[in-house]
Amino acid sequence: MQYFSTNRRSPEVGFREAVLRGQPDDRGLYFPASIPRLSADFVERMHDGTDADIAFDVIRPYVGGCMPDERLQEICAETVNFQFPLVQISDRIYALELFHGPTLAFKDVGARFMSRCLQYFSAERGRKTIVIVATSGDTGGAVAHGFHNVDGVEVVILYPKGRVSRVQELQLTTLGGNVTTLELRGSFDDCQAIAKQALTDASLAERAFLTSANSINVARWLPQQFYYFFALKQWEGKPPVVSVPSGNFGNLASGVLATISGLPIDHFIAACNANDVVPEFLGTGNYRPRPSVSTLSNAMDVGDPSNFVRILEMFGRDNAQLKSKMSAVSISDERTAETIREVHRNYGYVLDPHGAVAFAALEDHLDRHPDEKGIILETAHPVKFDSVAGILGTELEVPASVAEFYDRQKSVTEIDPDYSVVREIILEKAR
Ligand SMILES: *Cc1c(COP(=O)(O)O)cnc(C)c1O
């Protein structure tokens, strides 16, 4: 498989090159030159396959001949070695729970897949790879765990002191080994600025191979298709509507990609919080990126969603076609909190704020379409967000996998937002 840049100035590259580079020089995004078509009986046969088999069949055409099938099979098995249950919440709404992985959020899948690809490609080159990530919470945890104990890779994580939730902080700071966590006395923007400076530092690049585990990397983006296949594997009846809590639009873009391959999904809802650039675009045709505002569903606080261009690409930049397959709505924090309370009261199910945005958006859609049924992607476990207990007025039950974190040794270095300190740490890791 070749990948072209959505800006069309950088040359096409293979999967290996696309993973190692992350982003083309022309600042576009890599996009597959042709989208594979599933065989007619793929969905039928899927019911007999394991999740690892399905993942392998879906991703194999995208990886091309960049690694032996046996290695790719192993990577797929390690990537999806936890549950993805489809749980009924109400008469017509189901949740695909994507939070049974090590950091209780859906980003685990992409991070695990990417880390193992990077391990394979950096062993091939015989050079240590250093991954640097700035995080406001969810991404860093998933990346740190995805790369933990992966040979040939060192991870440096930057997070803003006092701005991540309790569980997120535990997930970021208790790994040790090849994961170095830096707690910055500053904001998320400071963290991001320092990561960017490191990634563009030419003299540093001579001494260390540095990469970001950014969500636009094809090795994080493409495996997200698996969720939609796992949902349909557990679904009976006519094709569902799927409501996806969206921030950078990587998850939703991978779902659309799966349907172009032939997976039967009737309609997508891009469920957004107050950061409504895409809902506004579908309404007016104007794409107006702007600074993000903070909300309860903070992993979706994005003012210029980087993966949206991949969705435009799939519809040939034809907005009428796009709108026939996908709608987009913005849900307020008040409605999000009310949805968490109502779903808990009526169905005994605890949503996290991101899943609640998707639930509210789907509920509104189903009110207007009485013969349809739908699925929300529940992208994180509610215990990750300190707000949920407050909204429900009760402490949440802590899953065993989280309780275990409380006993682990915390290891973190607190630093000022000073690039030279981070640079020294990176150089030490590169040795
Ligand atoms: C990252 C994230 C999202 C948004 O996903 P995108 O692919 O960026 O649209 C939604 N929910 C949670 C919990 C997340 O961590």
Side-chain angles (χ1 to χ4, degrees):
M1 176 73 77
Q2 289 293 107
Y3 293 82
F4 64 84
S5 165
T6 52
N7 281 348
R8 306 235 172 4
R9 286 190 291 275
S10 290
E12 287 195 0
V13 298
F15 178 77
R16 178 180 179 282
E17 199 60 23
V19 173
L20 289 170
R21 283 174 181 268
Q23 187 166 25
D25 291 335
D26 66 8
R27 312 306 291 165
L29 265 59
Y30 284 120
F31 194 88
S34 66
I35 299 178
R37 302 289 147 159
L38 302 172
S39 60
D41 61 345
F42 189 95
V43 176
E44 269 310 303
R45 281 192 299 120
M46 196 161 73
H47 295 275
D48 308 324
T50 64
D51 288 350
D53 293 338
I54 295 168
F56 175 74
D57 288 341
V58 169
I59 209 72
R60 187 171 180 269
Y62 291 98
V63 177
C66 286
M67 65 175 78
D69 276 352
E70 303 76 68
R71 183 74 196 111
L72 184 59
Q73 240 151 1
E74 273 167 33
I75 290 179
C76 288
E78 288 172 19
T79 299
V80 299
N81 71 351
F82 44 87
Q83 300 299 306
F84 300 85
L86 185 69
V87 175
Q88 182 161 17
I89 300 184
S90 70
D91 263 6
R92 293 159 66 206
I93 300 186
Y94 295 70
L96 183 71
E97 294 183 347
L98 300 177
F99 55 71
H100 296 279
T103 72
L104 313 180
F106 84 99
K107 290 188 175 73
D108 281 327
V109 165
R112 286 159 85 81
F113 187 81
M114 178 176 173
S115 66
R116 284 150 182 84
C117 289
L118 215 51
Q119 175 186 25
Y120 181 80
F121 296 139
S122 58
E124 231 181 18
R125 288 185 324 168
R127 247 185 115 180
K128 205 189 246 183
T129 300
I130 296 180
V131 174
I132 183 159
V133 206
T135 184
S136 55
D138 261 10
T139 300
V143 169
H145 283 255
F147 285 84
H148 188 221
N149 293 334
V150 169
D151 280 344
V153 181
E154 288 283 337
V155 185
V156 177
I157 309 254
L158 297 160
Y159 76 92
K161 181 177 163 69
R163 315 261 181 113
V164 302
S165 80
R166 214 158 53 117
V167 172
Q168 284 170 337
E169 182 159 29
L170 285 168
Q171 291 176 339
L172 288 168
T173 57
T174 56
L175 286 172
N178 63 334
V179 176
T180 303
T181 307
L182 305 176
E183 182 180 34
L184 220 81
R185 295 182 204 106
S187 65
F188 171 60
D189 291 340
D190 295 329
C191 296
Q192 217 168 14
I194 289 179
K196 212 169 212 169
Q197 206 172 342
L199 287 160
T200 52
D201 180 338
S203 71
L204 182 62
E206 284 169 17
R207 297 162 66 188
F209 178 73
L210 220 66
T211 182
S212 83
N214 204 300
S215 69
I216 58 176
N217 194 298
V218 291
R220 275 192 60 192
W221 177 52
L222 294 167
Q224 303 185 86
Q225 293 178 86
F226 303 161
Y227 315 140
Y228 300 86
F229 287 87
F230 299 162
L232 268 283
K233 178 184 165 183
Q234 300 170 73
W235 186 254
E236 280 163 25
K238 67 174 194 170
V241 177
V242 180
S243 179
V244 185
S246 295
N248 254 324
F249 280 74
N251 194 356
L252 182 61
S254 70
V256 174
L257 186 66
T259 61
I260 295 179
S261 289
L263 190 70
I265 289 173
D266 183 56
H267 190 77
F268 287 97
I269 302 169
C272 301
N273 57 31
N275 295 282
D276 61 349
V277 176
V278 171
E280 181 185 277
F281 170 73
L282 290 195
T284 64
N286 291 328
Y287 187 83
R288 275 198 314 130
R290 46 198 180 258
S292 63
V293 297
S294 350
T295 71
L296 285 173
S297 46
N298 54 7
M300 317 192 316
D301 294 347
V302 179
D304 185 7
S306 45
N307 278 289
F308 190 60
V309 61
R310 285 183 164 137
I311 296 181
L312 294 176
E313 195 66 56
M314 285 183 266
F315 291 103
R317 300 187 188 250
D318 173 344
N319 287 355
Q321 256 204 53
L322 170 66
K323 286 203 269 194
S324 71
K325 194 70 194 172
M326 172 185 143
S327 41
V329 290
S330 163
I331 301 290
S332 69
D333 270 0
E334 292 70 45
R335 177 89 190 276
T336 304
E338 187 187 302
T339 303
I340 291 174
R341 276 190 292 267
E342 281 188 359
V343 169
H344 181 243
R345 189 170 57 235
N346 297 340
Y347 312 110
Y349 190 91
V350 182
L351 290 166
D352 96 291
H354 306 78
V357 169
F359 191 98
L362 181 58
E363 214 173 23
D364 291 349
H365 177 93
L366 294 180
D367 277 346
R368 294 189 307 274
H369 298 86
D371 349 310
E372 294 179 2
K373 288 186 181 180
I375 298 173
I376 62 160
L377 299 192
E378 183 38 304
T379 46
H381 194 290
V383 82
K384 285 192 91 171
F385 304 96
D386 298 338
S387 57
V388 178
I391 290 167
L392 291 177
T394 163
E395 281 303 314
L396 303 188
E397 208 179 301
V398 176
S401 63
V402 172
E404 187 195 308
F405 281 110
Y406 290 97
D407 304 329
R408 290 202 207 153
Q409 181 82 31
K410 189 174 156 180
S411 113
V412 59
T413 308
E414 192 177 316
I415 58 167
D416 281 323
D418 176 352
Y419 174 58
S420 63
V421 175
V422 176
R423 192 175 190 276
E424 271 316 303
I425 292 170
I426 292 170
L427 282 171
E428 201 177 299
K429 297 288 145 196
R431 274 197 281 275

